[in-house]
Amino acid sequence: MENNVKTMMLGTGVAIPPKTLTNQDLEKIVDTSDEWIRERTGMQVRHIVDDETQNSDLSAQAAKQALKDADMDAEEIDTLIVATVTGDVTFPATACYVQDKIGAVNAAAFDIQAACSGFLFGLSIADGFVGTGKSKNVLVIGCELLTRIVDWKDRSTCVLFGDAAGAAVLGPANGDGRGILGTFMKTDGRLAHLLCMPGGGTRYPAQVAISENLNTLKMRGPEVFRAAVTAMGDAAAHILETAGLTVDDVDLLIPHQANKRIIDATVRRMKIPPEKVYINVHEYGNTSSASIPVALNEAKEKGLLKPGDVCVMVAFGGGFTWGSVAVRM
Ligand SMILES: CC(C)(COP(=O)(O)OP(=O)(O)OC[C@H]1O[C@@H](n2cnc3c(N)ncnc32)[C@H](O)[C@@H]1OP(=O)(O)O)[C@@H](O)C(=O)NCCC(=O)NCCS
Protein backbone atom coordinates (compact mmCIF):
# COMPACT_ATOMS: atom_id res chain seq x y z
CA MET A 1 0.00 0.00 0.00
CA GLU A 2 2.70 2.45 0.96
CA ASN A 3 4.41 2.13 -2.44
CA ASN A 4 1.30 3.81 -3.86
CA VAL A 5 1.93 6.95 -1.82
CA LYS A 6 2.44 9.73 -4.34
CA THR A 7 1.91 12.91 -2.35
CA MET A 8 3.55 14.15 0.80
CA MET A 9 2.52 16.81 3.29
CA LEU A 10 5.51 19.16 3.46
CA GLY A 11 4.31 21.86 5.83
CA THR A 12 1.34 23.33 7.66
CA GLY A 13 0.37 26.74 9.00
CA VAL A 14 -2.49 28.65 10.60
CA ALA A 15 -3.85 32.12 11.16
CA ILE A 16 -6.00 32.69 14.23
CA PRO A 17 -7.51 36.16 14.82
CA PRO A 18 -6.46 37.43 18.26
CA LYS A 19 -9.90 38.78 19.21
CA THR A 20 -12.13 36.32 21.07
CA LEU A 21 -15.86 35.89 21.67
CA THR A 22 -16.81 33.90 24.76
CA ASN A 23 -20.10 32.27 25.74
CA GLN A 24 -20.46 35.08 28.28
CA ASP A 25 -20.09 37.65 25.49
CA LEU A 26 -22.82 35.84 23.55
CA GLU A 27 -25.14 35.98 26.58
CA LYS A 28 -25.14 39.77 26.03
CA ILE A 29 -26.02 39.47 22.33
CA VAL A 30 -28.77 36.79 22.26
CA ASP A 31 -30.97 34.90 24.72
CA THR A 32 -28.56 32.08 25.51
CA SER A 33 -26.39 30.80 28.35
CA ASP A 34 -22.89 29.49 28.85
CA GLU A 35 -24.43 26.29 30.23
CA TRP A 36 -26.64 25.68 27.16
CA ILE A 37 -23.80 26.27 24.71
CA ARG A 38 -21.35 24.05 26.62
CA GLU A 39 -23.85 21.22 27.02
CA ARG A 40 -25.14 21.21 23.43
CA THR A 41 -21.89 21.99 21.60
CA GLY A 42 -18.84 21.82 23.89
CA MET A 43 -17.89 25.36 22.80
CA GLN A 44 -16.50 28.01 25.12
CA VAL A 45 -14.58 30.53 23.00
CA ARG A 46 -14.33 31.48 19.32
CA HIS A 47 -11.83 33.75 17.56
CA ILE A 48 -13.26 36.48 15.38
CA VAL A 49 -11.75 38.87 12.86
CA ASP A 50 -11.78 42.65 13.15
CA ASP A 51 -13.63 44.73 10.56
CA GLU A 52 -10.56 45.33 8.37
CA THR A 53 -9.40 41.72 7.96
CA GLN A 54 -10.44 39.83 4.82
CA ASN A 55 -10.42 36.12 4.05
CA SER A 56 -7.40 36.60 1.79
CA ASP A 57 -5.47 38.23 4.67
CA LEU A 58 -5.97 35.27 7.00
CA SER A 59 -5.41 32.82 4.13
CA ALA A 60 -2.15 34.53 3.17
CA GLN A 61 -0.94 34.49 6.78
CA ALA A 62 -1.60 30.74 7.12
CA ALA A 63 -0.06 30.11 3.71
CA LYS A 64 3.16 31.94 4.58
CA GLN A 65 3.50 29.88 7.75
CA ALA A 66 2.92 26.62 5.85
CA LEU A 67 5.50 27.62 3.21
CA LYS A 68 8.01 28.41 5.95
CA ASP A 69 7.30 25.05 7.61
CA ALA A 70 7.87 23.36 4.23
CA ASP A 71 11.03 25.44 3.68
CA MET A 72 9.65 26.54 0.33
CA ASP A 73 9.28 29.82 -1.57
CA ALA A 74 5.87 30.93 -2.82
CA GLU A 75 7.22 30.87 -6.41
CA GLU A 76 7.58 27.08 -6.14
CA ILE A 77 3.82 26.59 -5.76
CA ASP A 78 2.16 25.70 -9.07
CA THR A 79 -1.39 25.14 -7.77
CA LEU A 80 -3.09 27.23 -5.10
CA ILE A 81 -6.47 26.13 -3.80
CA VAL A 82 -8.60 28.04 -1.30
CA ALA A 83 -11.50 26.10 0.20
CA THR A 84 -14.05 28.59 1.46
CA VAL A 85 -17.70 29.65 1.51
CA THR A 86 -16.84 33.13 2.79
CA GLY A 87 -14.55 34.51 0.10
CA ASP A 88 -13.52 38.15 -0.18
CA VAL A 89 -15.95 38.78 -3.07
CA THR A 90 -18.36 36.75 -5.23
CA PHE A 91 -15.73 36.67 -7.95
CA PRO A 92 -12.89 36.42 -8.69
CA ALA A 93 -11.75 33.58 -6.50
CA THR A 94 -10.22 34.46 -3.14
CA ALA A 95 -7.26 32.33 -4.27
CA CYS A 96 -6.41 35.10 -6.77
CA TYR A 97 -6.03 37.65 -3.96
CA VAL A 98 -4.03 35.17 -1.89
CA GLN A 99 -1.73 34.49 -4.84
CA ASP A 100 -1.03 38.20 -5.09
CA LYS A 101 -0.52 38.65 -1.34
CA ILE A 102 2.01 35.81 -1.02
CA GLY A 103 3.66 36.20 -4.43
CA ALA A 104 2.83 32.72 -5.75
CA VAL A 105 3.35 34.05 -9.26
CA ASN A 106 3.72 30.64 -10.91
CA ALA A 107 0.51 29.14 -9.55
CA ALA A 108 -2.87 28.47 -11.08
CA ALA A 109 -5.16 29.69 -8.31
CA PHE A 110 -8.80 28.80 -7.74
CA ASP A 111 -11.38 28.33 -5.00
CA ILE A 112 -13.40 25.25 -4.16
CA GLN A 113 -16.63 25.18 -2.20
CA ALA A 114 -17.40 22.15 -0.10
CA ALA A 115 -18.22 23.99 3.15
CA CYS A 116 -16.69 22.30 6.19
CA SER A 117 -15.38 19.41 4.05
CA GLY A 118 -13.51 21.91 1.87
CA PHE A 119 -10.00 21.40 3.19
CA LEU A 120 -10.24 17.61 2.81
CA PHE A 121 -11.69 17.98 -0.70
CA GLY A 122 -8.71 20.27 -1.40
CA LEU A 123 -6.24 17.67 -0.13
CA SER A 124 -7.93 15.07 -2.30
CA ILE A 125 -7.57 17.30 -5.40
CA ALA A 126 -3.94 18.03 -4.47
CA ASP A 127 -3.22 14.31 -4.13
CA GLY A 128 -4.72 13.73 -7.58
CA PHE A 129 -2.77 16.58 -9.17
CA VAL A 130 0.57 15.65 -7.61
CA GLY A 131 -0.02 11.93 -8.11
CA THR A 132 -0.58 12.33 -11.85
CA GLY A 133 2.31 14.77 -12.24
CA LYS A 134 -0.04 17.61 -13.22
CA SER A 135 1.27 19.63 -10.29
CA LYS A 136 4.46 19.53 -8.31
CA ASN A 137 3.74 21.67 -5.26
CA VAL A 138 0.20 22.45 -4.20
CA LEU A 139 -0.89 24.89 -1.49
CA VAL A 140 -4.27 24.05 0.04
CA ILE A 141 -5.91 26.62 2.33
CA GLY A 142 -9.10 26.32 4.36
CA CYS A 143 -10.28 29.73 5.52
CA GLU A 144 -13.58 31.10 6.79
CA LEU A 145 -14.87 34.38 8.15
CA LEU A 146 -18.16 32.89 9.27
CA THR A 147 -18.85 35.67 11.76
CA ARG A 148 -19.42 37.91 8.71
CA ILE A 149 -22.37 35.81 7.48
CA VAL A 150 -24.10 34.58 10.64
CA ASP A 151 -27.38 36.12 11.72
CA TRP A 152 -26.55 37.76 15.05
CA LYS A 153 -30.24 37.67 15.96
CA ASP A 154 -30.50 33.86 15.55
CA ARG A 155 -29.30 32.20 18.75
CA SER A 156 -29.47 28.73 17.21
CA THR A 157 -26.67 29.53 14.77
CA CYS A 158 -24.69 32.61 15.85
CA VAL A 159 -23.20 30.87 18.89
CA LEU A 160 -21.64 28.09 16.81
CA PHE A 161 -19.13 29.69 14.48
CA GLY A 162 -15.69 31.31 14.52
CA ASP A 163 -13.06 32.61 12.08
CA ALA A 164 -9.69 31.05 11.21
CA ALA A 165 -7.44 29.80 8.44
CA GLY A 166 -5.25 26.75 8.06
CA ALA A 167 -2.98 25.69 5.22
CA ALA A 168 -0.88 22.79 4.00
CA VAL A 169 1.80 22.45 1.32
CA LEU A 170 1.79 19.19 -0.62
CA GLY A 171 4.48 17.86 -2.92
CA PRO A 172 5.79 14.59 -4.42
CA ALA A 173 6.39 11.76 -1.95
CA ASN A 174 10.01 10.78 -1.36
CA GLY A 175 9.43 7.02 -1.33
CA ASP A 176 9.79 6.43 2.41
CA GLY A 177 6.08 5.64 2.80
CA ARG A 178 5.10 8.99 4.27
CA GLY A 179 2.30 10.92 2.60
CA ILE A 180 -1.35 10.60 1.66
CA LEU A 181 -2.53 7.01 2.11
CA GLY A 182 -6.06 7.54 0.85
CA THR A 183 -8.81 10.07 0.23
CA PHE A 184 -12.61 9.91 0.10
CA MET A 185 -15.18 12.53 -0.98
CA LYS A 186 -18.98 12.36 -1.14
CA THR A 187 -21.91 14.73 -1.70
CA ASP A 188 -25.69 14.48 -1.36
CA GLY A 189 -27.25 17.57 -2.97
CA ARG A 190 -30.71 16.49 -1.83
CA LEU A 191 -29.72 17.87 1.59
CA ALA A 192 -28.46 21.24 0.31
CA HIS A 193 -31.31 23.08 2.04
CA LEU A 194 -30.22 21.96 5.51
CA LEU A 195 -27.29 24.37 5.70
CA CYS A 196 -26.86 27.25 3.30
CA MET A 197 -26.75 30.98 2.67
CA PRO A 198 -29.48 31.45 0.06
CA GLY A 199 -28.85 35.11 -0.81
CA GLY A 200 -26.17 36.87 -2.79
CA GLY A 201 -26.05 34.51 -5.77
CA THR A 202 -28.16 34.56 -8.92
CA ARG A 203 -31.22 33.04 -7.23
CA TYR A 204 -31.60 35.87 -4.74
CA PRO A 205 -29.31 38.71 -5.85
CA ALA A 206 -27.88 40.89 -3.11
CA GLN A 207 -30.67 43.49 -2.93
CA VAL A 208 -33.45 40.88 -2.74
CA ALA A 209 -31.38 38.90 -0.25
CA ILE A 210 -31.00 41.85 2.10
CA SER A 211 -34.68 42.82 2.03
CA GLU A 212 -35.73 39.21 2.78
CA ASN A 213 -32.92 38.44 5.27
CA LEU A 214 -31.49 35.73 3.05
CA ASN A 215 -27.93 36.99 3.20
CA THR A 216 -27.11 35.09 6.37
CA LEU A 217 -26.35 31.47 7.21
CA LYS A 218 -29.46 29.30 7.59
CA MET A 219 -29.34 25.93 9.30
CA ARG A 220 -31.80 23.22 10.31
CA GLY A 221 -29.72 22.20 13.33
CA PRO A 222 -31.26 18.90 14.48
CA GLU A 223 -31.45 17.57 10.88
CA VAL A 224 -27.84 18.60 10.26
CA PHE A 225 -26.89 16.84 13.47
CA ARG A 226 -28.45 13.55 12.34
CA ALA A 227 -26.99 13.75 8.83
CA ALA A 228 -23.59 14.63 10.30
CA VAL A 229 -23.40 11.57 12.52
CA THR A 230 -24.21 9.29 9.57
CA ALA A 231 -21.80 11.11 7.25
CA MET A 232 -18.91 11.06 9.72
CA GLY A 233 -19.36 7.32 10.26
CA ASP A 234 -19.44 6.75 6.49
CA ALA A 235 -16.35 8.92 5.91
CA ALA A 236 -14.43 7.08 8.63
CA ALA A 237 -15.37 3.62 7.37
CA HIS A 238 -14.47 4.50 3.76
CA ILE A 239 -11.07 5.95 4.56
CA LEU A 240 -10.00 2.96 6.64
CA GLU A 241 -11.00 0.67 3.79
CA THR A 242 -9.44 2.83 1.05
CA ALA A 243 -6.15 3.25 2.89
CA GLY A 244 -6.08 -0.38 4.05
CA LEU A 245 -6.01 0.62 7.72
CA THR A 246 -7.65 -0.64 10.90
CA VAL A 247 -8.57 1.58 13.82
CA ASP A 248 -5.49 0.24 15.62
CA ASP A 249 -3.26 1.68 12.87
CA VAL A 250 -4.57 5.20 13.50
CA ASP A 251 -2.38 7.31 15.78
CA LEU A 252 -4.62 10.38 15.74
CA LEU A 253 -8.14 11.04 14.49
CA ILE A 254 -8.89 14.66 13.62
CA PRO A 255 -12.63 15.12 13.18
CA HIS A 256 -14.21 18.32 11.89
CA GLN A 257 -14.80 20.45 14.98
CA ALA A 258 -18.51 21.27 14.61
CA ASN A 259 -19.90 19.99 17.86
CA LYS A 260 -18.47 17.88 20.69
CA ARG A 261 -21.55 15.62 20.63
CA ILE A 262 -21.09 14.84 16.93
CA ILE A 263 -17.43 14.04 17.59
CA ASP A 264 -18.38 11.78 20.52
CA ALA A 265 -20.89 9.91 18.37
CA THR A 266 -18.24 9.42 15.66
CA VAL A 267 -15.76 8.13 18.22
CA ARG A 268 -18.31 5.62 19.52
CA ARG A 269 -19.14 4.44 15.98
CA MET A 270 -15.47 4.02 15.08
CA LYS A 271 -14.69 2.34 18.41
CA ILE A 272 -11.50 4.41 18.57
CA PRO A 273 -10.00 5.17 22.02
CA PRO A 274 -10.93 8.78 22.95
CA GLU A 275 -7.29 9.58 23.77
CA LYS A 276 -6.52 9.14 20.04
CA VAL A 277 -9.01 11.87 19.08
CA TYR A 278 -8.04 15.53 18.76
CA ILE A 279 -10.62 18.02 20.02
CA ASN A 280 -10.32 21.81 20.15
CA VAL A 281 -13.91 22.86 19.45
CA HIS A 282 -14.04 24.48 22.91
CA GLU A 283 -11.35 26.98 21.85
CA TYR A 284 -12.44 27.90 18.32
CA GLY A 285 -16.07 26.94 17.73
CA ASN A 286 -16.85 25.69 14.25
CA THR A 287 -14.45 27.31 11.76
CA SER A 288 -15.74 25.22 8.83
CA SER A 289 -13.02 24.57 6.24
CA ALA A 290 -10.34 25.88 8.63
CA SER A 291 -11.25 23.50 11.45
CA ILE A 292 -9.22 20.48 10.33
CA PRO A 293 -6.02 22.27 9.22
CA VAL A 294 -6.03 24.32 12.44
CA ALA A 295 -6.36 21.13 14.51
CA LEU A 296 -3.73 19.37 12.39
CA ASN A 297 -1.19 22.15 12.86
CA GLU A 298 -1.93 22.34 16.57
CA ALA A 299 -1.56 18.56 17.03
CA LYS A 300 1.81 18.71 15.26
CA GLU A 301 2.97 21.59 17.46
CA LYS A 302 1.92 19.69 20.59
CA GLY A 303 4.00 16.68 19.49
CA LEU A 304 0.91 14.51 19.04
CA LEU A 305 1.83 13.78 15.42
CA LYS A 306 5.40 12.70 14.81
CA PRO A 307 6.96 11.68 11.51
CA GLY A 308 5.61 8.23 10.58
CA ASP A 309 2.39 8.59 12.58
CA VAL A 310 -0.90 7.89 10.82
CA CYS A 311 -3.46 10.70 11.00
CA VAL A 312 -7.03 10.24 9.80
CA MET A 313 -9.14 13.35 9.18
CA VAL A 314 -12.92 13.21 8.72
CA ALA A 315 -15.33 16.02 7.92
CA PHE A 316 -18.90 16.83 6.91
CA GLY A 317 -20.50 20.09 5.87
CA GLY A 318 -23.12 21.97 3.94
CA GLY A 319 -23.95 20.59 0.54
CA PHE A 320 -24.31 18.03 2.09
CA THR A 321 -20.65 17.05 1.74
CA TRP A 322 -18.46 14.63 3.62
CA GLY A 323 -14.98 13.29 3.19
CA SER A 324 -11.85 11.89 4.76
CA VAL A 325 -8.09 11.73 4.26
CA ALA A 326 -5.49 9.42 5.79
CA VAL A 327 -1.90 10.63 5.89
CA ARG A 328 1.33 9.19 7.22
CA MET A 329 3.10 12.23 8.61
C1 LIG B 1 -27.56 23.57 16.76
C2 LIG B 1 -27.64 22.53 17.85
C3 LIG B 1 -26.51 22.73 18.84
C4 LIG B 1 -28.95 22.73 18.58
O1 LIG B 1 -29.07 21.74 19.58
P1 LIG B 1 -30.40 20.88 19.69
O2 LIG B 1 -30.28 20.04 20.88
O3 LIG B 1 -30.60 20.20 18.37
O4 LIG B 1 -31.46 21.98 19.95
P2 LIG B 1 -32.79 22.36 19.14
O5 LIG B 1 -32.43 23.04 17.85
O6 LIG B 1 -33.67 21.13 19.06
O7 LIG B 1 -33.42 23.40 20.11
C5 LIG B 1 -33.80 23.05 21.43
C6 LIG B 1 -34.19 24.30 22.15
O8 LIG B 1 -33.04 25.12 22.42
C7 LIG B 1 -33.27 26.44 21.96
N1 LIG B 1 -32.02 27.04 21.55
C8 LIG B 1 -31.44 27.05 20.32
N2 LIG B 1 -30.28 27.71 20.35
C9 LIG B 1 -30.12 28.13 21.63
C10 LIG B 1 -29.14 28.87 22.29
N3 LIG B 1 -28.03 29.31 21.64
N4 LIG B 1 -29.28 29.11 23.61
C11 LIG B 1 -30.35 28.67 24.28
N5 LIG B 1 -31.34 27.97 23.70
C12 LIG B 1 -31.22 27.70 22.40
C13 LIG B 1 -34.26 26.28 20.83
O9 LIG B 1 -34.96 27.47 20.60
C14 LIG B 1 -35.15 25.18 21.37
O10 LIG B 1 -36.05 25.75 22.26
P3 LIG B 1 -37.57 25.23 22.35
O11 LIG B 1 -37.45 23.79 22.77
O12 LIG B 1 -38.15 26.11 23.38
O13 LIG B 1 -38.14 25.40 20.99
C15 LIG B 1 -27.58 21.10 17.25
O14 LIG B 1 -28.75 20.85 16.51
C16 LIG B 1 -26.40 20.90 16.37
O15 LIG B 1 -25.27 20.92 16.80
N6 LIG B 1 -26.62 20.65 15.05
C17 LIG B 1 -25.56 20.47 14.14
C18 LIG B 1 -24.98 21.82 13.81
C19 LIG B 1 -23.69 21.73 13.04
O16 LIG B 1 -22.85 20.94 13.34
N7 LIG B 1 -23.57 22.62 12.06
C20 LIG B 1 -22.40 22.77 11.31
C21 LIG B 1 -22.31 21.79 10.21
S1 LIG B 1 -20.74 21.85 9.48
Side-chain angles (χ1 to χ4, degrees):
M1 174 59 64
E2 288 179 358
N3 291 336
N4 294 330
V5 176
K6 299 273 199 312
T7 312
M8 208 169 166
M9 195 173 279
L10 302 169
T12 57
V14 296
I16 310 292
K19 193 172 160 192
T20 56
L21 184 74
T22 64
N23 291 352
Q24 288 74 17
D25 295 328
L26 284 160
E27 285 174 353
K28 293 175 199 141
I29 300 173
V30 284
D31 180 15
T32 190
S33 68
D34 175 46
E35 192 191 357
W36 191 96
I37 300 172
R38 277 178 196 248
E39 271 179 13
R40 304 288 175 120
T41 71
M43 295 171 191
Q44 297 173 27
V45 188
R46 310 112 197 101
H47 290 253
I48 62 169
V49 287
D50 58 32
D51 291 344
E52 283 73 44
T53 303
Q54 302 306 331
N55 181 315
S56 57
D57 298 318
L58 274 195
S59 286
Q61 197 185 327
K64 284 179 188 169
Q65 205 183 92
L67 286 165
K68 194 171 173 211
D69 192 37
D71 197 19
M72 196 180 281
D73 293 327
E75 292 87 354
E76 295 175 71
I77 297 295
D78 55 38
T79 308
L80 193 170
I81 303 170
V82 176
T84 190
V85 296
T86 51
D88 286 18
V89 295
T90 303
F91 81 88
T94 298
C96 303
Y97 299 108
V98 178
Q99 177 193 37
D100 182 36
K101 284 178 182 174
I102 67 172
V105 290
N106 297 311
F110 56 93
D111 289 0
I112 58 167
Q113 250 211 42
C116 306
S117 311
F119 181 73
L120 296 190
F121 276 40
L123 288 188
S124 191
I125 293 167
D127 184 38
F129 276 25
V130 175
T132 55
K134 190 167 182 61
S135 299
K136 185 168 181 219
N137 298 316
V138 183
L139 175 60
V140 181
I141 302 166
C143 179
E144 304 291 358
L145 272 56
L146 287 159
T147 62
R148 291 266 168 84
I149 65 160
V150 293
D151 181 349
W152 290 103
K153 293 191 179 75
D154 177 8
R155 66 177 180 173
S156 69
T157 53
C158 76
V159 303
L160 302 175
F161 298 99
D163 305 328
V169 177
L170 291 305
N174 66 6
D176 69 1
R178 288 184 300 140
I180 292 185
L181 306 174
T183 68
F184 168 73
M185 297 189 283
K186 195 80 189 282
T187 301
D188 185 350
R190 290 171 299 183
L191 303 179
H193 59 286
L194 296 186
L195 179 51
C196 57
M197 186 171 101
T202 55
R203 191 178 298 180
Y204 304 106
Q207 289 200 330
V208 179
I210 290 164
S211 64
E212 297 184 18
N213 188 29
L214 296 171
N215 60 326
T216 52
L217 182 150
K218 312 287 176 201
M219 183 178 72
R220 287 157 68 159
E223 286 164 82
V224 169
F225 192 99
R226 283 193 291 278
V229 172
T230 306
M232 291 287 265
D234 189 53
H238 269 96
I239 198 61
L240 293 178
E241 192 187 329
T242 307
L245 299 168
T246 68
V247 166
D248 290 342
D249 298 322
V250 179
D251 294 295
L252 194 69
L253 174 75
I254 300 184
H256 169 45
Q257 310 286 316
N259 182 314
K260 173 79 165 51
R261 291 189 297 142
I262 294 173
I263 296 174
D264 290 343
T266 306
V267 170
R268 282 195 298 274
R269 277 191 172 211
M270 281 184 76
K271 298 191 172 66
I272 187 166
E275 59 274 16
K276 284 189 174 184
V277 183
Y278 196 78
I279 299 178
N280 64 5
V281 67
H282 52 289
E283 290 176 82
Y284 300 102
N286 180 351
T287 59
S288 189
S289 66
S291 117
I292 287 192
V294 166
L296 176 67
N297 189 76
E298 216 171 65
K300 272 174 57 189
E301 282 182 347
K302 288 182 179 169
L304 297 172
L305 278 173
K306 294 177 277 305
D309 281 353
V310 172
C311 175
V312 166
M313 299 168 271
V314 288
F316 70 94
F320 214 76
T321 57
W322 62 104
S324 39
V325 173
V327 61
R328 189 179 294 282
M329 302 301 292

